[in-house]
Amino acid sequence: GSRLQRLTSDDVRWFSKGTEHDRFWSIKEEIIIFLGNCSHNNAEKYKKVLNDNAFLANVCFLNDLFVHLNTLNLQLQGRHKTIIDLTEKLNAFRDKLPLFVTDLQTVKLLHFPNLKDFIASTLDSATITNGMIEFLKKLQNNFNDRFEDFNIPNNVMLFVRDPFKIPPTSDFSSNAKKLLSSVDEG
């Protein structure tokens, strides 16, 4: 299989630490020129890889995906974050993953701007592969498994954010009293 299909969670963690793909993409043309002038035995082989549309489409896909992962990573960092803040960010990202799959399948690419630009420049939408879609599905499963015990009921999150948003007809207060006897039901 391709390298994209063999990515592990360790690879994902390594890539999400920075913007290596962005940096690579911004100097891709210079790398090709360098390889053209290089006398190293493998230079021609590397130059061929950098002219392979399937490889470049994978680079664009990963670049776009890791931008999303980096954004999530930054949202989870910092002081004064509550468990509610973290749960909301993780849930929002988990909810985006099926949207990303649909975005690839329909070739709208609203969430994959680098891949969209690349496809527009090559006029080859066949560069969106099942491997990309499967990768997103595996990422979704990984998030679901990893954060399975990290769920907080919506009414608890709502209560923490704004207790007056809980409907007065709700039995939230009596249920909270049952769970924590020291809590004043009022």
Side-chain angles (χ1 to χ4, degrees), residues 115-141:
L115 184 56
K116 184 176 187 172
D117 290 347
F118 178 74
I119 289 174
S121 72
T122 62
L123 303 173
D124 184 9
S125 64
T127 54
I128 296 176
T129 64
N130 287 334
M132 293 174 186
I133 294 167
E134 287 305 310
F135 185 82
L136 284 175
K137 289 179 179 178
K138 286 179 184 177
L139 183 63
Q140 184 178 4
N141 290 337

Side-chain angles (χ1 to χ4, degrees), residues 49-63:
V49 169
L50 291 177
N51 287 312
D52 177 18
N53 282 353
F55 173 79
L56 294 175
N58 283 335
V59 170
C60 291
F61 165 73
L62 289 173
N63 188 10

Side-chain angles (χ1 to χ4, degrees), residues 82-144:
T82 66
I83 190 72
I84 302 299
D85 297 328
L86 301 177
T87 301
E88 287 174 341
K89 297 298 182 193
L90 286 169
N91 287 343
F93 188 79
R94 275 195 287 191
D95 291 345
K96 286 180 187 176
L97 289 171
L99 179 72
F100 292 167
V101 170
T102 302
D103 194 30
L104 279 178
Q105 290 171 330
T106 60
V107 194
K108 287 186 177 179
L109 305 176
L110 302 172
H111 303 282
F112 297 92
N114 290 313
L115 184 56
K116 184 176 187 172
D117 290 347
F118 178 74
I119 289 174
S121 72
T122 62
L123 303 173
D124 184 9
S125 64
T127 54
I128 296 176
T129 64
N130 287 334
M132 293 174 186
I133 294 167
E134 287 305 310
F135 185 82
L136 284 175
K137 289 179 179 178
K138 286 179 184 177
L139 183 63
Q140 184 178 4
N141 290 337
N142 187 297
F143 262 79
N144 289 336

Side-chain angles (χ1 to χ4, degrees), residues 170-178 180-186:
S170 164
D171 58 348
F172 181 78
S173 297
S174 58
N175 287 339
K177 178 72 174 168
K178 288 176 191 172
L180 298 166
S181 59
S182 62
V183 170
D184 177 358
E185 192 174 338

Side-chain angles (χ1 to χ4, degrees), residues 39-57:
S39 61
H40 190 273
N41 295 339
N42 290 325
E44 191 59 35
K45 180 176 78 171
Y46 294 135
K47 189 175 170 185
K48 272 186 183 176
V49 169
L50 291 177
N51 287 312
D52 177 18
N53 282 353
F55 173 79
L56 294 175

